[in-house]
């Protein structure tokens, strides 16, 4: 998979501008097929690409919006056709087309494994992670700036991101393999973007928004004669037993 880097500020500091470039170069180990960087006054985007589709080297730009993504979309060709794009369009190009078509609701229209960052004409940086959290995405705050990257190591390259350990999280990793706070990392200053969430920066303010929840499952009907349910089985109540002779 590829690796992405993003930053937003009002404006970006020189340190953060340099960080976008340095972190993108560092990410070559995840994306050895090429890299791209785009920096303006309020935002910077970078990506190191592992090609999984025949796309141009990102960042992608269209209609005043810029996007980078680490993505493998389900139904990419069909979604591209729906958007009026070539079925051979790359994942990032299709994601950007969905953003331009549906804006705030575009994440409802896409499925697959992805982590993305997009800067639009509304002067917001929107970063999102796929519904199941397959693609990694982390963030840190430096004053009024937001830093986002696929890897924790890339974030630690910024001179103002402290490397102080979160000792409670580390202890929980060692004892129970995962911290109680699932979005914690081994470093206090760095957090995970939760699965099925987008992280939005707007004029120095940052917020998290859940964009997807799993639907309630309908009971599974088993037709035919089946043994009486075991009342000690924790799945009882999930399955409905139906006798087709009744």
């Amino acid at each position: 998979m590829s690796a992405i880097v993003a930053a937003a500020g009002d404006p970006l500091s020189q340190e953060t501008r340099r960080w976008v470039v340095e972190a993108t170069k560092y990410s070559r180990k995840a994306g050895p097929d090429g890299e791209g960087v785009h920096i303006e006054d309020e935002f910077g985007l970078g990506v190191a690409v592992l090609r999984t589709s025949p796309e141009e080297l990102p960042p992608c730009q269209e209609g005043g919006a810029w996007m980078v993504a680490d993505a493998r979309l389900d139904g990419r060709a069909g979604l591209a056709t729906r958007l009026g794009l070539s079925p051979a369009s790359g994942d990032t190009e299709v994601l950007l087309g969905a953003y331009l078509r549906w804006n705030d609701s575009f994440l409802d229209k896409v499925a697959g494994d992805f982590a993305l960052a997009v800067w639009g004409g509304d002067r917001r940086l929107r970063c999102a992670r796929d519904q199941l959290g397959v693609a990694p995405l982390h963030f840190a705050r430096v004053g009024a700036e937001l830093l986002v990257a696929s890897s924790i190591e890339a974030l630690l390259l910024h001179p103002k991101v402290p490397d102080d350990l979160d000792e409670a999280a580390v202890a929980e990793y060692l004892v129970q393999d995962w911290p109680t706070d699932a979005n914690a990392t081994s470093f206090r200053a760095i957090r995970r973007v939760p699965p099925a969430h987008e992280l939005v920066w707007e004029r120095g303010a940052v917020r998290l928004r859940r964009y997807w929840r799993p639907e309630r499952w309908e009971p599974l009907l088993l037709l035919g004669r089946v043994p009486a349910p075991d009342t000690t089985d924790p799945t009882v109540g999930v399955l409905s037993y139906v006798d087709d002779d009744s």
Side-chain angles (χ1 to χ4, degrees), residues 25-40:
K25 290 180 178 178
Y26 173 84
S27 300
R28 285 173 180 166
K29 62 181 183 180
D33 295 333
E35 64 188 64
V37 173
H38 180 79
I39 300 174
E40 295 190 14

Side-chain angles (χ1 to χ4, degrees), residues 18-230:
R18 289 191 292 269
W19 172 79
V20 171
V21 175
E22 184 181 357
T24 301
K25 290 180 178 178
Y26 173 84
S27 300
R28 285 173 180 166
K29 62 181 183 180
D33 295 333
E35 64 188 64
V37 173
H38 180 79
I39 300 174
E40 295 190 14
D41 287 344
E42 294 180 292
F43 76 98
L45 300 174
V47 62
V49 179
L50 176 63
R51 292 192 184 277
T52 58
S53 59
E55 57 192 312
E56 296 294 325
L57 185 65
C60 284
Q61 188 275 334
E62 182 71 32
W66 290 86
M67 179 181 284
V68 290
D70 169 19
R72 183 212 52 80
L73 293 181
D74 296 334
R76 171 170 50 87
L79 182 57
T81 301
R82 184 180 176 188
L83 292 167
L85 302 173
S86 166
S89 299
D91 293 302
T92 305
E93 184 180 357
V94 173
L95 281 168
L96 181 56
Y99 167 77
L100 293 171
R101 171 75 64 86
W102 294 298
N103 202 305
D104 283 346
S105 62
F106 87 102
L107 291 168
D108 301 332
K109 315 293 185 183
V110 299
D113 311 334
F114 60 84
L116 64 86
V118 58
W119 178 270
D122 54 7
R123 297 176 63 196
R124 292 188 298 170
L125 179 68
R126 298 174 61 183
C127 306
R129 194 174 175 203
D130 64 82
Q131 292 89 338
L132 299 182
V134 176
L137 196 61
H138 304 84
F139 70 97
R141 298 290 306 274
V142 175
E145 293 183 326
L146 174 67
L147 313 178
V148 180
S150 294
S151 73
I152 292 173
E153 294 86 352
L155 288 170
L156 288 172
L157 293 175
H158 194 289
K160 289 188 177 178
V161 174
D163 59 0
D164 299 335
L165 291 178
D166 184 333
E167 295 180 356
V170 171
E172 289 181 331
Y173 273 119
L174 295 174
V175 172
Q176 59 192 34
D177 295 331
W178 201 257
T180 302
D181 180 355
N183 301 315
T185 71
S186 298
F187 300 92
R188 292 177 184 169
I190 298 175
R191 304 277 296 170
R192 289 184 177 84
V193 176
H197 279 71
E198 73 167 340
L199 179 71
V200 182
W201 178 96
E202 184 173 12
R203 295 176 177 84
V206 176
R207 60 184 175 87
L208 272 171
R209 180 184 75 89
R210 177 184 283 273
Y211 68 83
W212 177 84
R213 293 181 185 275
E215 297 179 2
R216 290 178 59 87
W217 291 358
E218 294 297 325
L220 176 64
L221 302 181
L222 302 179
L223 301 180
R225 294 189 178 279
V226 296
D230 179 358

